[in-house]
Amino acid sequence: MRMKLHICFLKEICCVFPAVFSSKFIQHEIVGKYSHLFTVQGSNPEMMPYMLLAHMDVVPAPPEGWDFPPFSAAEHEGFIYGRGTLDNKNSAIGILQALEFLLKRHYRPRRSFYVGIGHDEEVFGRKGAMKIAALLEARGVKLSFLLDEGSAILDGIIAGVKKPVAVIAVTEKGSLTLNFTVEKEPGHSSFPPKETSIGILAAAMSRLEQNPLRNLFGHGPELMTVEHLASEFRFPLNLIMSNLWLFSPLVSRVLAWKPSTNALIRTTTAVTMFNAGIKINVIPSSAKATVNFRIHSAEKATEVLEIVRNTVADDRVKIDVVEAFDPLPISPWDDQTFGVHIFQRTILDTFPDVDSVVPGTCIGNTDSRHFTNVTNAIYRFNPLLLKSDDLPRIHGLNERISVENYEKQVEFLFQLIKNCDTDKLPEPHANSHEL
């Protein structure tokens, strides 16, 4: 079934993007059976290449609760409904669409670049993006920058900031998943022991939730985000954010109030699975729980594991590591960074209502984490304008993208490819666009 769907997808994109697949300077490869790698050979081999990354796989979408079938791509009142319209088929198709437009205008890029479309990002990307990265590394490829999903233009989402803000994630949090198990002798519920396996494990989980890991505001990119945005906040927030030397303790406490901002300033703890019991009158022999920690850029997985052991502080609770990886290195964000200038220029070209382009943190994980051996400049930005009611739709019900938003995404990618052909660092500016 998977191969059949892959063949159907390949036939469809070959049909929709004929210029891409017939170009003499574009090589297309299938990697890991289902992922796609496009090599666009620029006319100037002396210019360092870059990469645009996306994925076409999605999380499950049962039809219950959807206004339209989740895989119908139904268009209604200016919106396209469907799983993957925001995460991340929009980028996969948007990149190919932008490249198709350029080719039909007989545009030959000067700077070479790669397009990677993974097939298993939602399950860690081991068979897709990881193999693409290994292939590029084996070929000795070094990239000037890599652009993947992970953040967006936030409109009305940052409290106290009126105008839309483009947030480009310069790192992403690490992850530690642990299994917790308690085993005791089973028995009859009519003469229970003082503590059951469920009670012991529930108490351990409660200790983890009641004792969050430390607030690390000021030790990661969240500080750069606030500093870059300081002047955009309304009074008196602009005064507070401009004087973090004095108000940092206050800001860190306020950020901890909401889950969305709390995730930026600490390693988070999420009890995601709990299993125990087989019958109402049987004391279970075991109880199991799974907890996922998303690791702040100032901490390591080994540090978090040690803190967890000390917090649980109960030898009856067995702890096993399911998966662990550290936060990604923080990518450069300065005036001498080519990718940053390109993003600033292209965003201001494409989105005239945006005044601020700021660095940030991706609290999720993306395929980009597999490419650290081919570049130290990894950025996560999906060129979409998102409002607060859009966020629950990602991995949720009624995921959708407006036609206007998708058009803007293609325009951004079209212009980015052209802007990357410059030899010198450009100055950000705004103007109308030919598309």
Side-chain angles (χ1 to χ4, degrees), residues 151-273:
S151 193
I153 299 172
L154 307 181
D155 186 7
I157 294 176
I158 302 176
V161 177
K162 186 177 181 180
K163 290 186 176 182
V165 176
V167 181
I168 299 176
V170 294
T171 185
E172 61 185 57
K173 299 182 81 172
S175 181
L176 173 66
T177 302
L178 301 176
N179 279 343
F180 297 80
T181 307
V182 176
E183 295 183 347
K184 292 199 72 178
E185 287 292 324
H188 199 284
S189 64
S190 61
F191 48 94
K194 184 177 180 180
E195 290 181 292
T196 67
S197 58
I198 293 177
I200 294 169
L201 187 57
M205 295 301 98
S206 179
R207 286 194 292 277
L208 288 177
E209 291 188 329
Q210 296 302 315
N211 295 277
L213 281 86
R214 59 186 176 135
N215 188 322
L216 289 167
F217 177 71
H219 296 276
E222 71 280 350
L223 179 62
M224 290 194 295
T225 306
V226 172
E227 290 176 338
H228 279 76
L229 273 179
S231 62
E232 296 294 326
F233 285 96
R234 292 190 292 266
F235 180 83
L237 288 176
N238 57 345
L239 181 63
I240 294 172
M241 299 302 184
S242 298
N243 292 277
L244 291 176
W245 62 272
L246 176 62
F247 294 110
S248 182
L250 172 63
V251 173
S252 67
R253 286 195 295 271
V254 171
L255 291 174
W257 291 348
K258 292 176 62 178
S260 59
T261 50
N262 181 58
L264 298 173
I265 61 172
R266 61 161 40 92
T267 297
T268 54
T269 304
V271 182
T272 55
M273 298 174 67

Side-chain angles (χ1 to χ4, degrees), residues 83-104:
R83 177 62 83 229
T85 50
L86 294 175
D87 180 20
N88 181 243
K89 293 177 181 177
N90 57 308
S91 292
I93 301 303
I95 294 168
L96 296 178
Q97 185 74 73
L99 185 53
E100 182 79 6
F101 281 150
L102 285 165
L103 294 172
K104 287 185 174 180

